Amino acid sequence: MQTSEINFKARITLQAIGSICFKLIFIVILFYNFHRYIFKYGSSDFINTSKEYVATPLFWQVGKYVFVLCLLGLVYLFLSFKRTNLNLKFFVVYFTIFYVLIINLISGFYYRQVIHTSLNRVNYQILNYDELEYVIFALMFFPLFYISNNDLKFITTKIDKYIVFAIWVLVISNLLVLLNYFIFDVLPFHGYEGSLLIRFGGFWDDPNAFSIFSCFLLFYSCHKKLWLESALLIINVVFAISFTGYVLLMVILFFYMIRNNNVLLFGIILLLVIALVGYLNLDFIEAIYELKKGSLESHSTGLVKFSVLPLTQPLIFHETWFISFMINYSPVSYIVIVIVLYYFIKIYFKGSYSIQNSLFLIFVISSLFLPFLYMFPLNILGFMLFVLNSKNIKF
C-alpha cells in the first residue's frame, strides 16, 4: 500500500472522529438543558419555595463547560491546523472578547461587586460570571478558526437532517410539557398556580431561550417551506409567552415580506387578522400585560450611568444585553455596536438567507430585550457558527 494512500485513509479516519465530536456537541446544545424540567432544577435567583424546584447543582452548571471542552479538545487533537490570515470580522469579535475579559478581571478585583439592575441589588462577587460564560465559550472555539477547511467540510453534510431533527425535538418536548400540565397539573418553572401566566419552554424549561431558539429554527423551516414544522414552531413561541419571541416572529415575517410579493400580501392579511383577534381579546391581553409588567419594567429601570471611559463604576447586569455592554465596555462597545447595527441592516434588507445570517439577526433583536449571550446553549451555538462563517463555511 502506498504512503499517500495510507495518509489519505488516516486523514479520513481523523475527520470521522472530528465529525463524531461535532455531533456530540450538537447533542449537548440540544439536550443538555433537559435537566431543568426532568430534575426540576432552576435558577437560584428565581426559585419559588412553593414548588418542587431546587437551585441547579454546581456540577450541572460546570458540566456543560467540561463536555464542550473535552469534545473540542479531541477536534483540535485529531484535525490538522493550517496557517490562516485573520479577517476583519474575526479580529473585531475576538478583540472585543479579550477586552471584555480584561475589564471583568480588573473590575472584579477593584470593586468586588456586580450591580444587578433587574433584581435591584448588589451582588458582592469578584467576577461577573454571566459575562465570563460567553467569554469562556468564545475562547474554546477560537482555535477552530485555524483548523483546515478540508477537515471541516463534513459539517455541511446532512445539516438539513440535523436541523429538522432539532425542530421535532423541541416540538415534541414542548408537547409533553403541555400535556403534563393539562392532564397531570404539573407546572413548569415559569408557571404560577391559578394564574394566566403559565409559560412553557419545553424540556429546557426556559421560555425565553426556548422561544429564541424556536425562532432560529423557524427561519430555517420557512426558508425550506416546511409549513407543518413552521406552524408547530410558532405554537412553541406562542405558549412561551415571551415578548422577545413575539417580536422575533414579526422580524421573520417582515424579512420574507420584503423579498416576496406573495408573502407581502399574506403578511398584511395575517397582521390584520392578528390586530382583529387582539382587539377582540383586549381584556385577556391587558391581564397578561399586568402579569408581565414587572418583567418589562426591569428592562428600563435600575442604575444606568453611561461613560466614555471604562471602570468608572462596578460592572452592571441589565436584562437588555446591549445596555450592559455599552455601560460596561465603553468606548470599545460604542464602536462595536455601530458595526453590529451596520451588518444587521445590510443583512436584513439586502442579504440572502443563511443559517449564520439568521442567527445573527436573531442575536441582534434578542439582545435589545434579553441577554442572549448569557443563555446556554444560544451562546455556544452563536460562537460556533460565527467562527465557521469566518472560515467561509456557510450553510
Side-chain angles (χ1 to χ4, degrees):
M1 186 177 294
Q2 295 182 354
T3 302
S4 59
E5 186 178 352
I6 294 174
N7 290 337
F8 175 76
K9 289 185 176 180
R11 188 82 262 142
I12 294 298
T13 301
L14 295 179
Q15 290 177 6
I17 294 173
S19 177
I20 292 171
C21 290
F22 270 98
K23 288 175 183 176
L24 291 175
I25 291 174
F26 175 76
I27 294 298
V28 171
I29 289 173
L30 202 54
F31 291 98
Y32 191 84
N33 274 348
F34 277 24
H35 69 269
R36 291 173 182 248
Y37 188 79
I38 294 173
F39 299 120
K40 303 300 180 184
Y41 291 155
S43 170
S44 58
D45 288 330
F46 303 101
I47 289 294
N48 186 334
T49 55
S50 66
K51 295 183 181 180
E52 298 177 355
Y53 282 83
V54 297
T56 305
L58 181 61
F59 74 92
W60 270 113
Q61 297 180 44
V62 175
K64 57 181 179 283
Y65 303 106
V66 175
F67 281 130
V68 175
L69 181 59
C70 289
L71 293 170
L72 284 174
L74 290 174
V75 170
Y76 301 146
L77 178 64
F78 289 107
L79 299 186
S80 60
F81 284 80
K82 182 180 180 181
R83 188 177 182 277
T84 306
N85 294 325
L86 290 177
N87 61 44
L88 183 59
K89 286 187 290 186
F90 188 83
F91 172 79
V92 169
V93 168
Y94 274 94
F95 173 83
T96 305
I97 290 297
F98 283 106
Y99 182 75
V100 167
L101 177 60
I102 291 169
I103 294 297
N104 266 271
L105 293 175
I106 296 174
S107 177
F109 286 105
Y110 183 75
Y111 289 107
R112 296 179 178 271
Q113 59 183 252
V114 175
I115 299 173
H116 203 303
T117 60
S118 60
L119 297 177
N120 290 316
R121 76 183 188 197
V122 175
N123 291 345
Y124 293 96
Q125 58 193 65
I126 294 179
L127 299 174
N128 187 341
Y129 301 110
D130 293 309
E131 293 281 284
L132 290 181
E133 176 171 322
Y134 73 81
V135 169
I136 290 171
F137 284 131
L139 295 178
M140 285 184 186
F141 281 99
F142 180 87
L144 186 65
F145 184 77
Y146 294 95
I147 295 292
S148 169
N149 278 32
N150 287 333
D151 282 359
L152 291 173
K153 285 182 179 179
F154 63 83
I155 292 177
T156 60
T157 62
K158 298 183 179 179
I159 188 69
D160 294 320
K161 177 181 177 181
Y162 296 140
I163 294 180
V164 171
F165 175 72
I167 291 173
W168 284 104
V169 167
L170 261 65
V171 166
I172 292 172
S173 77
N174 207 38
L175 176 62
L176 292 175
V177 173
L178 285 164
L179 292 175
N180 211 18
Y181 170 70
F182 287 109
I183 297 176
F184 300 106
D185 200 29
V186 177
L187 281 169
F189 182 68
H190 292 273
Y192 305 92
E193 193 70 56
S195 168
L196 291 173
L197 190 58
I198 300 175
R199 307 176 65 194
F200 298 91
F203 279 2
W204 285 13
D205 220 1
D206 181 349
N208 287 324
F210 186 79
S211 62
I212 291 171
F213 193 65
S214 293
C215 287
F216 165 63
L217 297 175
L218 178 62
F219 241 130
Y220 170 87
S221 62
C222 288
H223 179 71
K224 295 292 184 177
K225 298 181 180 180
L226 303 174
W227 303 126
L228 173 61
E229 287 85 348
S230 297
L232 294 172
L233 287 168
I234 291 172
I235 291 172
N236 273 1
V237 179
V238 169
F239 277 97
I241 313 182
S242 169
F243 175 78
T244 303
Y246 297 157
V247 171
L248 287 173
L249 290 180
M250 294 297 103
V251 168
I252 295 170
L253 177 61
F254 284 119
F255 179 85
Y256 287 107
M257 284 174 66
I258 61 180
R259 286 165 172 77
N260 188 306
N261 289 333
N262 292 331
V263 179
L264 175 63
L265 178 60
F266 169 78
I268 292 172
I269 295 172
L270 179 61
L271 290 173
L272 291 173
V273 171
I274 292 173
L276 178 61
V277 172
Y279 176 76
L280 296 176
N281 293 274
L282 279 178
D283 292 340
F284 177 76
I285 294 173
E286 288 176 1
I288 292 294
Y289 171 76
E290 287 300 320
L291 292 170
K292 291 277 291 178
K293 189 176 181 179
S295 174
L296 294 172
E297 289 178 349
S298 71
H299 292 73
S300 57
T301 60
L303 179 60
V304 175
K305 179 183 176 183
F306 292 93
S307 172
V308 294
L309 296 175
L311 300 170
T312 57
Q313 60 185 329
L315 293 183
I316 291 177
F317 171 90
H318 196 282
E319 285 287 335
T320 299
W321 181 78
F322 274 132
I323 292 179
S324 291
F325 183 60
M326 281 193 293
I327 295 170
N328 293 329
Y329 305 112
S330 59
V332 170
S333 58
Y334 302 135
I335 300 171
V336 171
I337 287 176
V338 170
I339 294 173
V340 167
L341 293 179
Y342 166 77
Y343 276 105
F344 175 85
I345 294 171
K346 181 179 179 181
I347 292 172
Y348 191 80
F349 291 100
K350 294 184 178 180
S352 58
Y353 170 85
S354 73
I355 289 175
Q356 284 102 326
N357 281 351
S358 67
L359 186 62
F360 175 74
L361 298 178
I362 293 285
F363 155 70
V364 174
I365 296 299
S366 300
S367 296
L368 294 173
F369 308 101
L370 293 168
F372 177 100
L373 290 178
Y374 300 168
M375 297 178 175
F376 178 84
L378 301 178
N379 43 24
I380 181 175
L381 179 66
F383 282 109
M384 182 172 68
L385 292 184
F386 168 75
V387 175
L388 292 173
N389 187 67
S390 299
K391 294 176 63 62
N392 290 318
I393 298 177
K394 302 176 182 179
F395 28 81

